[in-house]
Amino acid sequence: MKFWMKAAVATAALMLPAAANAQAPRADQQAFRGLYKEMVEIDSSQPNGSCTAVAQAMSARLKAAGFADADLNVVTHPDHPKEGNLVAVLHGTDAKAKPMLLLAHIDVVAAKREDWTRDPFALIEENGWFYGRGTSDDKAQAAIWTDSLIRMKQEGFKPKRDIKMALTCGEENGAYNGISHLIAEYRPLIDAGFALNEGAGGLLDANDKPVSLEVQSGEKVYQDFQLVSTNPGGHSSRPVKDNAIYHLSAALSNIGAYEFPIRFNDTTRGYFTRMAPLVDPKAGAAMKALVADPANADALAEVTKDPMWNSMLRTTCVATLVNAGHAPNALPQRATANVNCRILPGTQVEEVRKTLEQVAGDPKVSVAVNGPISPVGPAPVLTPEMMKPLEREAAKLWPNVPIVPIMQTGATDGKYLIAAGIPTYGVEGLFTSSDGDGIHGLNERVRVKSLYDARDFLYALVKDYAVSK
């Protein structure tokens, strides 16, 4: 699930939809297109599609390229036979070098044919765009990872470290999650020193010129909380002030008015520092001032006008569901609400629960975790070992384009790896539009040129990491 930081920058008028210049594909790009087409055209949405079919198809391609059966594992859960995962490995030459993991999810959001202009499960190339469900989220990266391993195998490339790939199911729905299953039951298959994942793309201006390239380091933690107020109730003709709905509504009003304090980390500090010159002068000046002095109220007010930038700076909580009462002529015996929080990395879920309880300010309103507790881990550090190869390979395709660190305000499967002690970075190199190019919506698409450029970039980057210390 991608929540692009680019949306915040659209206010600076940096991005507008622009037609891509069609060019005849190279022979290797044509081969990649066939793999990509096969992946996109297998429906892997829930409940009717099958991730297992995608995993098996990509395993067959890797085997045809020379991978041994022992290095290809299609992993399914007995209760979820259609939600399979593929784990593959290209072995390195140095047993002491920690492996790297290439992660992508192969499940997609459901798509109704009657709502789409084109068949969502047919790859259609039109006017410089690829259309189809998953063309961007996340089969673009899944196809690139698979294609990269095939190319390396066919070229006889010998990496220093093992290159592992996990194509997983369940990122888009909560019934089953492939990467958490692999961590819990098959950790040796996916264990690594670091991982590359979705979560960061590139920014284009109105003329399709790259403005900035993003690298994700860390993401906020998703967590729901349930507020409950109960009461003996009674006949509505004899109302009393002690009303469950009133207690709950007052608590929600208090939470709605509350703002968690802002807190920078290395990633968000780097983001606002590097974005300041790329946005309009007023916002840019406020970014610089806020980085220099987080207590600067005027700068904070200016920056947090944008919901995305505000969300990057603080934990946020918002009421999303309310249910109360049992009859129109009776006093309510129960009133409940769901409050959805996106928590800054490193902040514990219990700490946020206690804050909500305190802010609600009513002993007759309980606050409890709603659903499973999300894993919490620190934001990975963008070390020189991570940044130098990225800067080196990006400069070959996009010279002088600044690299901007970001923290996802949404969530990806990287949260499970980070909580398991595997630093995970969002690196795609896929330049897209500020409107999200239909991700999770109708007529999902990706620029043909952007996809082919991302393929070249990620292939070179993986090889660079594979031989670096």
Side-chain angles (χ1 to χ4, degrees):
M1 183 178 294
K2 299 175 182 178
F3 297 81
W4 297 109
M5 299 301 172
K6 300 172 203 153
V9 189
T11 57
L14 289 173
M15 297 183 63
L16 291 170
N21 297 321
Q23 295 181 349
R26 308 187 307 253
D28 64 296
Q29 290 172 335
Q30 290 177 333
F32 166 71
R33 188 185 189 282
L35 183 155
Y36 180 58
K37 175 180 172 68
E38 180 178 24
M39 187 178 285
V40 170
E41 294 189 348
I42 299 174
D43 181 355
S44 54
S45 64
Q46 294 296 316
N48 300 318
S50 174
C51 287
T52 304
V54 178
Q56 291 171 337
M58 295 304 106
S59 178
R61 283 183 173 268
L62 289 162
K63 183 174 181 178
F67 279 81
D69 288 340
D71 297 330
L72 302 171
N73 290 274
V74 175
V75 178
T76 59
H77 189 283
D79 295 335
H80 302 274
K82 294 171 63 177
E83 296 170 65
N85 315 277
L86 172 62
V87 182
V89 59
L90 181 64
H91 292 288
T93 59
D94 185 354
K96 295 181 180 179
K98 291 184 178 180
M100 63 185 295
L101 175 66
L102 311 178
L103 176 66
H105 68 87
I106 50 178
D107 61 314
V108 297
V109 171
K112 293 183 178 180
R113 175 65 186 93
E114 60 269 25
D115 296 337
W116 282 55
T117 304
R118 307 160 191 82
D119 185 346
F121 296 108
L123 182 68
I124 296 173
E125 184 174 352
E126 188 177 295
N127 298 324
W129 296 85
F130 284 127
Y131 289 87
R133 174 59 86 218
T135 47
S136 178
D137 187 14
D138 185 31
K139 288 182 176 178
Q141 191 156 35
I144 289 172
W145 290 152
T146 307
D147 171 75
S148 294
L149 288 186
I150 289 172
R151 292 169 68 189
M152 292 175 195
K153 189 71 170 181
Q154 292 176 334
E155 292 173 2
F157 174 65
K158 301 295 183 183
K160 180 177 294 185
R161 66 179 80 244
D162 284 358
I163 303 174
K164 299 181 178 182
M165 179 184 73
L167 305 184
T168 60
C169 196
E171 198 268 1
E172 301 289 10
N173 71 82
Y176 165 82
N177 183 269
I179 192 61
S180 60
H181 179 207
L182 291 171
I183 291 169
E185 303 294 336
Y186 299 89
R187 178 67 181 254
L189 286 182
I190 54 89
D191 207 14
F194 66 96
L196 303 182
N197 184 33
E198 65 169 328
L203 180 66
L204 298 171
D205 67 11
N207 298 311
D208 265 359
K209 181 181 178 182
V211 175
S212 64
L213 176 67
E214 300 167 341
V215 53
Q216 180 201 339
S217 177
E219 55 188 57
K220 297 180 83 174
V221 175
Y222 178 109
Q223 188 64 61
D224 288 312
F225 296 89
Q226 186 179 57
L227 276 64
V228 179
S229 179
T230 58
N231 192 282
H235 202 286
S236 63
S237 66
R238 297 187 295 274
V240 294
K241 297 297 184 182
D242 185 14
N243 183 298
I245 291 178
Y246 297 160
H247 285 292
L248 180 67
S249 61
L252 290 176
S253 293
N254 291 341
I255 290 171
Y258 177 75
E259 289 186 329
F260 284 79
I262 72 164
R263 192 177 80 226
F264 281 105
N265 56 37
D266 289 344
T267 301
T268 53
R269 189 176 294 107
Y271 173 86
F272 286 105
T273 298
R274 296 193 184 192
M275 286 305 299
L278 304 178
V279 299
D280 70 80
K282 186 177 182 180
M287 287 180 179
K288 290 181 181 178
L290 190 62
V291 170
D293 179 13
N296 187 320
D298 291 338
L300 178 62
E302 179 64 30
V303 172
T304 55
K305 286 179 181 177
D306 189 291
M308 184 65 73
W309 292 338
N310 178 66
S311 186
M312 291 180 70
L313 286 167
R314 52 166 53 105
T315 291
T316 59
C317 294
V318 59
T320 55
L321 294 169
V322 175
N323 185 33
H326 60 283
N329 59 349
L331 300 178
Q333 296 172 1
R334 183 179 177 87
T336 67
N338 185 81
V339 172
N340 176 248
C341 296
R342 307 299 176 117
I343 304 170
L344 286 176
T347 303
Q348 296 301 310
V349 170
E350 177 60 14
E351 178 185 337
V352 176
R353 190 202 66 78
K354 288 181 177 179
T355 299
L356 291 177
E357 188 174 64
Q358 180 180 5
V359 172
D362 189 338
K364 292 193 174 183
V365 177
S366 65
V367 181
V369 172
N370 192 10
I373 296 178
S374 295
V376 176
V381 178
L382 290 170
T383 62
E385 290 77 16
M386 290 303 304
M387 291 302 297
K388 286 181 180 178
L390 194 152
E391 292 166 347
R392 185 161 51 236
E393 300 305 336
K396 295 175 183 177
L397 276 171
W398 308 292
N400 302 317
V401 172
I403 296 174
V404 178
I406 66 165
M407 179 189 69
Q408 276 286 8
T409 60
T412 74
D413 274 344
K415 65 184 180 182
Y416 298 104
L417 290 173
I418 292 171
I422 301 175
T424 303
Y425 304 89
V427 181
E428 293 184 35
L430 190 65
F431 285 78
T432 59
S433 305
S434 60
D435 66 1
D437 287 347
I439 293 173
H440 286 205
L442 295 177
N443 306 313
E444 184 176 348
R445 66 195 185 278
V446 66
R447 284 179 176 84
V448 174
K449 183 180 187 307
S450 290
L451 180 65
Y452 287 154
D453 284 349
R455 173 179 176 260
D456 289 342
F457 168 66
L458 291 176
Y459 177 69
L461 181 62
V462 170
K463 292 181 77 172
D464 203 335
Y465 282 135
V467 298
S468 299
K469 293 182 179 181

